């Protein structure tokens, strides 16, 4: 049995204050990712809800394969929604005023999702439930599945702590999350210090863990106050325990995130 506490502090570097990450996502590759995970569907005429879609990079990268008038984006970042609307006014941009510890700390805890009347062929969420506690994820997934048309698919990503890309010297996802942005380093990612190896190894085997600013958290039920970073990681078995009927697919290169696929109902 592990002797590690439920919360494992990590060393702070540089400025010790939690850094707030920009609300505008610069991530790319979302269209290619879901296109591959969904088996390269014919997107034409399909209605898509991009939940937590930020500025709509998915739509941009679809490059005409998804019609803007058939694309809806719901996000708790008002800034991202406004920017998405500025870029693609023909699409549907909906601000969701719900609390998220990292992305919308001023929001309303537990606010119901916006009422949307269309039914969607695809509801997608890239790296959204990697930033929400499990009870919220379960609740939101239930609500999103109810928005699916017959034959529709909900596809969302999660990050498995012990997964690593093939190839020598590739770091596990939990090290990647820790190295990349979570230790308060101001520029280049730096390796996690060796004395934290036990905590990292524990995280790699954990069903659930989270990087909360400078802390590695193992208790999924711990309440999370406003913070600069809240990254949730799940083992595939944990994903299956939350969503027993889901089809779970491994990451497609060059991405590191698994995909969970669900239909309208069980
Ligand atoms: C890591 S970003 C990913 C953004 C986008 N999917 C992409 O791939 O660029 C997470 C996004 O989820 C949004 N988000 C977090 N909690 C949310 C919630 N409960 N409902 C809707 N969006 C949420 C954030 O505002 C942010 O835009």
């Amino acid at each position: 049995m592990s002797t590690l506490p439920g919360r494992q502090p990590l060393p702070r570097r540089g400025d010790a204050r939690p850094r707030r990450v920009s609300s505008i996502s610069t991530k790319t590759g979302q269209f290619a990712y879901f296109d591959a995970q969904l088996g390269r569907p014919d997107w034409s005429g399909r209605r898509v809800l991009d939940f937590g879609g930020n500025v709509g990079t998915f739509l941009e990268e679809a490059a005409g394969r998804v019609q803007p008038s058939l694309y809806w984006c719901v996000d708790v970042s008002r800034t991202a929604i406004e920017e998405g609307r500025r870029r693609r006014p023909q699409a549907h941009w909906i601000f969701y005023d719900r609390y998220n510890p990292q992305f919308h700390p001023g929001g309303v805890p537990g606010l119901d999702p916006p009422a949307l009347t269309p039914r969607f062929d695809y509801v997608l969420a890239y790296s959204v439930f990697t930033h929400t506690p499990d009870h919220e994820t379960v609740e939101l997934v239930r609500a999103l599945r109810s928005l699916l048309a017959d034959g529709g698919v909900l596809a969302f990503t999660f990050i498995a702590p012990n997964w690593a890309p093939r190839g020598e010297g590739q770091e596990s996802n939990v090290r990647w999350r820790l190295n990349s942005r979570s230790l308060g380093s101001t520029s280049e990612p730096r390796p996690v210090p060796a004395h934290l190896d036990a905590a990292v190894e524990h995280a790699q085997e954990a069903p659930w863990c989270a990087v909360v600013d400078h802390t590695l958290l193992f208790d999924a039920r711990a309440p999370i106050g406003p913070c600069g970073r809240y990254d949730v990681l799940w083992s595939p078995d944990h994903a299956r325990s939350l969503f027993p009927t889901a089809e779970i697919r491994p990451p497609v290169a060059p991405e590191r995130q698994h995909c969970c696929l669900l239909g309208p109902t069980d």
Side-chain angles (χ1 to χ4, degrees):
M1 198 159 111
S2 168
T3 53
L4 287 164
R7 207 178 260 268
Q8 181 73 19
L10 300 165
R12 295 174 182 224
R13 293 182 177 149
D15 184 349
R17 286 169 303 178
R19 282 186 308 141
R20 203 156 281 293
V21 177
S22 165
S23 48
I24 301 291
S25 169
T26 53
K27 168 83 181 82
T28 57
Q30 295 89 331
F31 178 79
Y33 177 86
F34 284 121
D35 193 44
Q37 293 287 13
L38 293 164
R40 309 208 183 285
D42 178 3
W43 294 91
S44 58
R46 302 297 175 91
R47 212 177 257 129
V48 175
L49 169 59
D50 195 357
F51 188 74
N54 202 265
V55 293
T57 307
F58 173 90
L59 179 63
E60 291 306 320
E61 294 189 329
R65 280 165 288 191
V66 173
Q67 288 164 251
S69 62
L70 296 180
Y71 174 88
W72 275 252
C73 178
V74 169
D75 202 289
V76 300
S77 165
R78 195 191 292 275
T79 314
I81 286 292
E82 282 171 3
E83 177 57 18
R85 186 179 292 121
R86 190 190 66 74
R87 293 182 191 180
R88 284 288 181 158
Q90 316 92 313
H92 309 267
W93 302 94
I94 297 135
F95 169 60
Y96 178 19
D97 193 12
R98 178 170 179 146
Y99 172 82
N100 177 275
Q102 176 179 338
F103 290 96
H104 191 29
V108 181
L111 184 69
D112 282 342
L116 297 175
T117 38
R119 288 294 166 267
F120 297 92
D121 300 294
Y122 296 108
V123 176
L124 311 173
Y126 188 95
S127 204
V128 180
F129 302 129
T130 53
H131 302 282
T132 52
D134 282 10
H135 69 278
E136 290 200 28
T137 299
V138 168
E139 174 216 324
L140 290 168
V141 163
R142 188 180 307 120
L144 293 174
R145 290 177 79 186
S146 75
L147 298 176
L148 287 171
D150 285 349
V153 181
L154 165 64
F156 65 89
T157 67
F158 69 91
I159 301 178
N162 71 351
W163 187 89
R166 283 172 197 222
E168 215 171 305
Q170 293 281 3
E171 62 191 3
S172 67
N173 272 345
V174 73
R175 274 189 193 278
W176 166 67
R177 293 317 272 175
L178 289 166
N179 286 352
S180 60
R181 296 175 292 195
S182 301
L183 293 179
S185 59
T186 48
S187 51
E188 286 301 298
R190 286 181 248 178
V192 180
H195 71 273
L196 290 169
D197 278 354
V200 171
E201 273 161 34
H202 183 65
Q204 283 173 181
E205 300 313 316
W208 184 99
C209 64
V211 177
V212 188
D213 290 333
H214 305 280
T215 303
L216 199 45
L217 182 69
F218 295 104
D219 178 2
R221 289 154 305 174
I224 305 296
C227 56
R229 174 152 296 277
Y230 177 51
D231 286 348
V232 172
L233 297 95
W234 294 348
S235 70
D237 280 348
H238 185 68
R240 276 183 210 103
S241 76
L242 294 178
F243 305 107
T245 59
E247 180 179 342
I248 291 177
R249 299 206 172 150
V252 285
E255 303 293 332
R256 284 174 166 268
Q257 304 209 15
H258 279 66
C259 194
C260 210
L261 301 175
L262 283 160
T265 50
D266 286 335

